[in-house]
């Protein structure tokens, strides 16, 4: 039996609940990504399809966004102001700043980009996802279906603690995941 889902009604509830604004405006997004491992999986012998240290790095998607009908910014001027090679198709982080966060914030080129973003009425969008954390969230969310007395108010606490414990000895944690055939953990193994 199929259940009907009214997306418009639910959309309106979410807009109201979170006091979202400008939800009917059209925007144009420009973005880039970093540390996208696409998907991690176990090989037959137990290793991963990626280097182990990659699983703890955040996948970041971010860039600039503007209202769709305002395409008046000059990207070539920005490239000139940053003294980038004319053949550069992209503005890469390595061309803008180096070092830790505080060193990067001192970068004159970064300031140039921020000034350009403000001058062109652009906004920054950003999303970060930790693959290891979301794998753990997946495990806990799946397991709680088997425990009807589970207190949902404790859910985020358990996810965080489980994540911190997994990082203490990642090799052992990954061996356990492989042993139970994650992500296809059978109900009787949960």
């Amino acid at each position: 039996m199929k259940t009907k889902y009214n997306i418009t009604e639910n959309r309106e509830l979410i807009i109201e609940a979170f006091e979202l604004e400008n939800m009917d405006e059209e925007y144009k997004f420009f973005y880039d990504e970093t540390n996208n491992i696409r998907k991690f999986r176990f090989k037959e012998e137990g290793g991963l399809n990626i280097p182990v240290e990659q699983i703890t790095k955040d996948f970041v998607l971010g860039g600039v966004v503007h209202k769709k009908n305002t395409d008046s910014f000059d990207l070539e001027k920005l490239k000139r102001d940053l003294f980038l090679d004319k053949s550069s198709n992209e503005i890469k982080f390595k061309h803008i700043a180096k070092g830790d966060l505080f060193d990067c914030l001192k970068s004159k080129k970064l300031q140039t980009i921020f000034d350009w973003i403000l001058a062109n009425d652009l906004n920054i969008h950003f999303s970060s996802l930790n693959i290891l954390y979301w794998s753990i969230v997946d495990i806990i969310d799946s397991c709680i279906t088997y425990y009807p007395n589970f207190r949902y108010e404790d859910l985020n606490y358990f996810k965080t603690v489980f994540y911190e414990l997994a990082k203490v000895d990642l090799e052992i944690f990954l061996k356990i995941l492989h042993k139970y055939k994650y992500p296809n953990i059978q109900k009787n193994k949960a």
Side-chain angles (χ1 to χ4, degrees):
M1 181 172 146
K2 290 185 179 180
T3 304
K4 287 189 176 187
Y5 184 80
N6 186 331
I7 190 76
T8 304
E9 183 180 300
N10 288 306
R11 178 182 185 270
E12 296 303 321
L13 287 171
I14 291 169
I15 290 170
E16 185 179 329
F18 293 100
E19 299 178 8
L20 302 175
E21 297 177 6
N22 303 319
M23 295 306 294
D24 294 317
E25 296 281 344
E26 289 188 43
Y27 293 91
K28 189 170 184 180
F29 285 76
F30 297 87
Y31 60 90
D32 198 12
E33 61 186 37
T34 185
N35 295 327
N36 187 356
I37 63 170
R38 307 280 187 252
K39 184 178 185 181
F40 89 88
R41 59 189 167 280
F42 291 98
K43 296 177 184 176
E44 280 299 315
E45 65 278 3
L48 293 173
N49 64 318
I50 58 169
V52 172
E53 60 276 0
Q54 283 294 109
I55 199 169
T56 59
K57 291 185 178 178
D58 288 1
F59 162 59
V60 178
L61 180 66
V64 295
V65 59
H66 66 86
K67 287 190 177 177
K68 195 170 182 179
N69 58 358
T70 57
D71 258 353
S72 61
F73 55 85
D74 186 355
L75 190 58
E76 294 307 314
K77 180 183 180 331
L78 175 61
K79 287 181 184 179
R80 285 191 305 275
D81 291 347
L82 294 170
F83 304 103
L84 294 182
D85 188 282
K86 289 180 181 180
S87 64
S88 294
N89 293 332
E90 297 181 272
I91 300 171
K92 292 287 192 183
F93 180 74
K94 67 183 179 182
H95 301 130
I96 306 306
K98 291 181 175 72
D100 65 15
L101 174 64
F102 295 108
D103 290 334
C104 291
L105 290 174
K106 295 175 192 172
S107 166
K108 289 181 180 175
K109 288 184 176 185
L110 185 60
Q111 184 62 50
T112 300
I113 290 176
F114 287 148
D115 291 341
W116 182 82
I117 288 170
L118 288 171
N120 288 284
D121 198 29
L122 299 172
N123 293 296
I124 296 173
H125 67 91
F126 178 87
S127 173
S128 180
L129 177 83
N130 182 285
I131 303 299
L132 178 61
Y133 179 79
W134 285 104
S135 299
I136 288 167
V137 165
D138 182 43
I139 293 168
I140 292 176
D141 286 346
S142 296
C143 288
I144 64 169
T145 61
Y146 305 118
Y147 300 99
N149 296 328
F150 187 84
R151 293 172 19 133
Y152 284 91
E153 55 270 16
D154 294 333
L155 202 55
N156 288 334
Y157 171 77
F158 283 116
K159 290 173 183 177
T160 302
V161 169
F162 196 178
Y163 172 70
E164 292 300 326
L165 287 172
K167 289 191 318 182
V168 168
D169 196 333
L170 190 55
E171 295 287 337
I172 288 177
F173 178 71
L174 292 173
K175 285 180 183 177
I176 293 168
L177 289 184
H178 183 258
K179 176 181 175 182
Y180 290 98
K181 300 186 179 3
Y182 177 84
N184 302 313
I185 300 171
Q186 299 300 310
K187 184 177 180 177
N188 64 337
K189 301 285 187 179

